[in-house]
Amino acid sequence: MWTFLGRPECILCLSSALCAMALITNNQLPRLNQTHLTPLLMITRKVGLEVKGSEFTLEGYPFRIISGTIDYFRIPRNSWRLSLRKLQACGFNTLTTHIPWNLHEPAVGQFHFTESMDLIAFLTLASETGLWVIVCPGPYIGSDLDLGGLPSWLLKDPKMKLRTTYKGFTKAMNRYFDDLIPRIAKYQYMKGGPIIAVQVENEYGSYYMDKKYMAYVKMALKSRGINELLMTADDGVSLRKGHLPNVLATVHMKNIKKETYEDLKIIQDNSPILMMVYTANSFDTWGTLHQFGDPQMLMKDVREMFNLGFSLNFYMFQGGTNFGLIGGAQFLRGYMPVVTSYDYSALISESGEYTLEYQEFQYFFHSVTDNTASIQPKATLMFAYQTLKLLYFMTLWDVLPYLVKITKSSRPLSMEQLPVNERNGQSFGYILYETVIFNGGLLTSRGHVQDRGQVFLDNSYVGLLDQTNNELLLFKDVSKKTQILRILVENQGRLSSGHDMNKERKGLTGDIYLDKSPLRPFKIYSLEMKNMFIQREFPKSWKKVTSHVQGPAFFLSHLKAGDPPQDTFIKIKIIIFEELRGDVNIRFTNRAQLGP
């Protein structure tokens, strides 16, 4: 059997119903002529994307979906058009994109659809480029984002059950959909727009906490005007649990076996197969080596999918960057947070450069379709600025007196419980807890530090509490009657999948004990690291860096980027001076993209 169908990862193993197709070879495969099926040419529209027997049709004509995923929130806005042109020039006819709830509604009832979050501008550019669109509005999208793209303020509710028909969740989802869905409904195929299909949720079969939930989401979409083809997406093992009656079931490449195709046949007879997530690789996590795909195996797989009549979506066509601190985490071999770069071994690199795999895919797609050759955009060029030096610094302790709001509480509060951001809590970044101690002893977290807590007595670092270390021995300065105990906790990213998402509150999520007595009370500082925090006017207390700097600190340097600034990456070189019991907390990537 073909290498693709027999891969060790069990990516595909076709049922007997499809075996007859195995005789087709690439040379025998008739070329696809879909040049007339583009958004720019189809003015009169009567019938959208449909399932007709074992194939898709668009306006009644056979149509093969050749899609690639680009998430607009991971690409600088002024690069959107260029990225979409590269997708179309490679031979793809469809764009798939995810819509992150947490970035569009960062606070309850406050919706952001401008600048880098201007979804409608992105959809319009896709249409102008000649691409159809499959949108994935969620409410959960996964995509290796913090909490799978769900807003963290949902977790203010101690009883919250994410992705269920729990009233607290559906009330929030309905408010969000009331704003979002009418926006995208206007851009559906039958209204002259590029949207030919809408995905209902994402991989719900592997979560499946509420059997009524998927039907609820479907109705929420349809009642707000979504009339194009609906689809679900699950891996092989979870296909049956995640599908809906009269909704196309599509497949993610994980855990696919012969039984997967038998399930598909039972669910929807001989309908066309859409490999909704075919991927060369996976995300990278902090502390592990960058993952690389196998280009030869990749092309063999795609050829065989094409020969078998599959439609496909390549995840990712361009991965881009997890800007800010939006990257999520997985729990595989322990807790593993996702890095800033979302390169994902995509066909277009994080910065927009062409890869060798891009050229191979372009050649293949152009050889089997009558796709009108478009002018390939020039490669994105990176600009190397001069080396910068850290000229000034300000310790965290210097900054604290100038923070606008301090929360005082009898016990620790998690980020989500903080009365900040108009009582929406804190989503990302750091949080600092202060309390007074009168004696030393054994400091115990009992698993209540999420995710990484650096412990200080006054301004001096004394140790670390995290998910693997729950105890720390404190030696109080006997010359002082009291000392300030400080715990600086970093949110390294909420889980992006799994039932434990419901527990993903960050900071101190419960009591901290000193010799078995809970510490009381606390001052709590929110350090969310938003642009407003970074750009605020601090007093003129920046100090020149003359030697190594101890403790957490902010650093200031100046980059003369010119007008307009050019695309570049920051590569950080750090010289670390460690004391005997010192610890260094550095979270960065040497591929942190700066858009112009």
Side-chain angles (χ1 to χ4, degrees), residues 435-441 443 457-458 474-485 514-515 517-521:
T435 190
V436 175
I437 64 170
F438 298 86
N439 55 273
L443 186 68
L457 279 178
D458 296 328
L474 297 183
F475 297 93
K476 181 181 168 295
D477 187 339
V478 294
S479 67
K480 298 179 179 180
K481 184 176 180 180
T482 64
Q483 282 189 275
I484 298 175
L485 174 69
L514 184 60
D515 283 345
S517 296
L519 292 171
R520 300 280 194 272

Side-chain angles (χ1 to χ4, degrees), residues 192-231:
I195 298 173
I196 57 173
V198 176
Q199 182 175 299
V200 183
E201 247 270 352
N202 185 62
E203 289 193 326
Y204 193 71
S206 62
Y207 189 79
Y208 201 67
M209 287 185 65
D210 185 339
K211 64 181 180 180
K212 298 179 181 179
Y213 172 71
M214 286 291 281
Y216 187 94
V217 176
K218 174 187 173 182
M219 185 54 62
L221 294 170
K222 292 184 71 67
S223 65
R224 291 168 174 82
I226 297 300
N227 298 312
E228 302 300 336
L229 183 71
L230 295 179
M231 56 180 62

Side-chain angles (χ1 to χ4, degrees), residues 48-300:
L49 185 69
E50 289 188 322
V51 172
K52 293 293 185 182
S54 61
E55 65 183 5
F56 291 108
T57 62
L58 187 62
E59 206 60 40
Y61 296 98
F63 182 70
R64 184 79 64 86
I65 299 170
I66 307 172
S67 179
T69 299
I70 303 175
D71 288 333
Y72 54 98
F73 53 90
R74 286 185 169 117
I75 310 291
R77 177 169 177 161
N78 58 0
S79 297
W80 285 353
R81 186 184 297 274
L82 190 58
S83 295
L84 292 169
R85 286 178 59 204
K86 290 173 181 176
L87 180 68
Q88 195 272 340
C90 191
F92 291 83
N93 58 30
T94 304
L95 161 76
T96 295
T97 195
H98 298 85
I99 303 177
W101 182 1
N102 59 344
L103 301 184
H104 282 296
E105 192 185 2
V108 175
Q110 297 181 16
F111 300 101
H112 293 186
F113 285 92
T114 60
E115 299 176 342
S116 62
M117 298 307 298
D118 193 340
L119 168 65
I120 300 307
F122 187 66
L123 296 178
T124 302
L125 285 175
S127 182
E128 292 173 353
T129 308
L131 294 165
W132 299 112
V133 178
I134 299 172
V135 293
C136 305
Y140 165 85
I141 61 171
S143 198
D144 306 310
L145 284 178
D146 184 277
L147 210 62
L150 299 175
S152 63
W153 47 257
L154 289 168
L155 296 176
K156 285 168 47 183
D157 180 349
K159 298 179 181 179
M160 176 56 64
K161 296 182 179 67
L162 302 172
R163 305 174 72 191
T164 69
T165 54
Y166 171 68
K167 186 176 179 179
F169 183 79
T170 56
K171 180 181 178 181
M173 185 195 88
N174 283 321
R175 181 181 54 245
Y176 171 56
F177 271 18
D178 283 344
D179 191 277
L180 169 68
I181 302 305
R183 294 176 188 267
I184 64 178
K186 297 176 183 178
Y187 289 84
Q188 294 178 98
Y189 175 87
M190 292 301 293
K191 295 187 177 182
I195 298 173
I196 57 173
V198 176
Q199 182 175 299
V200 183
E201 247 270 352
N202 185 62
E203 289 193 326
Y204 193 71
S206 62
Y207 189 79
Y208 201 67
M209 287 185 65
D210 185 339
K211 64 181 180 180
K212 298 179 181 179
Y213 172 71
M214 286 291 281
Y216 187 94
V217 176
K218 174 187 173 182
M219 185 54 62
L221 294 170
K222 292 184 71 67
S223 65
R224 291 168 174 82
I226 297 300
N227 298 312
E228 302 300 336
L229 183 71
L230 295 179
M231 56 180 62
T232 59
D234 289 280
D235 68 22
V237 173
S238 307
L239 189 64
R240 286 205 184 199
K241 286 184 177 180
H243 92 282
L244 282 168
N246 303 315
V247 172
L248 180 73
T250 71
V251 188
H252 287 190
M253 65 176 282
K254 293 183 295 183
N255 302 317
I256 293 182
K257 302 177 181 179
K258 178 181 177 180
E259 291 75 17
T260 303
Y261 295 92
E262 294 172 349
D263 287 345
L264 275 172
K265 182 172 174 58
I266 292 170
I267 290 170
Q268 53 201 25
D269 201 23
N270 288 324
S271 64
I273 294 175
L274 169 56
M275 184 64 67
M276 192 57 189
V277 170
Y278 180 71
T279 184
N281 210 340
S282 184
F283 55 86
D284 290 325
T285 56
W286 293 100
T288 61
L289 296 175
H290 174 55
Q291 298 192 53
F292 294 93
D294 183 341
Q296 292 183 343
M297 185 63 72
L298 182 70
M299 182 49 67
K300 287 179 182 178

Side-chain angles (χ1 to χ4, degrees), residues 54 167-168 172 229 240 309-310 359 368 447 460 499 509 514 518 573:
S54 61
K167 186 176 179 179
L229 183 71
R240 286 205 184 199
F310 286 20
Q359 309 296 343
V368 296
S460 300
H499 293 170
T509 59
L514 184 60
K573 181 179 180 182

Side-chain angles (χ1 to χ4, degrees), residues 333-595:
R333 298 174 300 278
Y335 173 80
M336 303 176 71
V338 176
V339 302
T340 305
S341 171
Y342 203 65
D343 182 77
Y344 223 95
S345 292
L347 300 186
I348 295 292
S349 74
E350 180 183 7
S351 61
E353 300 166 283
Y354 292 109
T355 64
L356 292 176
E357 290 75 31
Y358 177 95
Q359 309 296 343
E360 292 180 11
F361 270 74
Q362 184 182 57
Y363 175 81
F364 172 70
F365 287 142
H366 286 191
S367 71
V368 296
T369 67
D370 285 335
N371 196 358
T372 303
S374 58
I375 298 175
Q376 181 170 310
K378 293 182 179 179
T380 303
L381 298 178
M382 294 291 101
F383 188 83
Y385 289 98
Q386 292 183 348
T387 300
L388 299 177
K389 293 182 180 180
L390 296 174
L391 304 177
Y392 302 94
F393 77 97
M394 189 186 306
T395 69
L396 174 59
W397 323 125
D398 294 330
V399 172
L400 293 182
Y402 302 98
L403 294 182
V404 176
K405 189 173 182 179
I406 303 170
T407 299
K408 295 182 179 180
S409 175
S410 61
R411 61 182 60 205
L413 300 175
S414 70
M415 284 185 173
E416 296 77 12
Q417 295 171 315
L418 279 187
V420 298
N421 296 324
E422 300 180 31
R423 308 196 74 81
N424 285 279
Q426 178 178 336
S427 294
F428 308 111
Y430 297 77
I431 183 169
L432 178 69
Y433 300 85
E434 282 188 356
T435 190
V436 175
I437 64 170
F438 298 86
N439 55 273
L442 185 64
L443 186 68
T444 309
S445 70
R446 300 190 184 181
H448 294 155
V449 175
Q450 301 295 325
D451 297 306
R452 189 176 192 277
Q454 296 179 76
V455 181
F456 301 84
L457 279 178
D458 296 328
N459 296 351
S460 300
Y461 174 82
V462 293
L464 181 71
L465 295 172
D466 59 15
Q467 297 195 18
T468 61
N469 181 37
N470 292 322
E471 295 182 347
L472 187 64
L473 194 59
L474 297 183
F475 297 93
K476 181 181 168 295
D477 187 339
V478 294
S479 67
K480 298 179 179 180
K481 184 176 180 180
T482 64
Q483 282 189 275
I484 298 175
L485 174 69
R486 290 168 163 152
I487 306 176
L488 177 63
V489 184
E490 178 188 0
N491 170 6
Q492 295 183 307
R494 295 178 182 85
L495 293 176
S496 57
S497 62
H499 293 170
D500 284 345
M501 288 172 57
N502 290 285
K503 305 174 184 177
E504 279 296 88
R505 295 165 182 86
K506 298 297 184 179
L508 295 186
T509 59
D511 283 323
I512 300 295
Y513 298 83
L514 184 60
D515 283 345
K516 300 183 180 181
S517 296
L519 292 171
R520 300 280 194 272
F522 283 90
K523 288 183 180 179
I524 307 174
Y525 301 83
S526 173
L527 304 167
E528 197 159 9
M529 304 304 172
K530 291 182 176 179
N531 286 342
M532 184 167 47
F533 178 89
I534 301 300
Q535 295 168 0
R536 69 190 304 151
E537 289 293 331
F538 287 118
K540 295 182 179 179
S541 55
W542 292 96
K543 307 180 186 70
K544 283 189 176 181
V545 176
T546 57
S547 60
H548 72 274
V549 178
Q550 290 185 338
F554 298 91
F555 293 88
L556 174 67
S557 190
H558 299 279
L559 169 67
K560 294 182 179 180
D563 189 16
Q566 303 297 311
D567 281 339
T568 192
F569 286 98
I570 295 178
K571 183 174 183 179
I572 302 176
K573 181 179 180 182
I574 297 179
I575 300 174
I576 301 173
F577 299 89
E578 295 188 4
E579 297 178 1
L580 181 61
R581 298 181 62 212
D583 184 82
V584 179
N585 176 33
I586 302 166
R587 187 176 185 218
F588 69 90
T589 174
N590 64 354
R591 292 181 62 78
Q593 185 177 356
L594 295 182

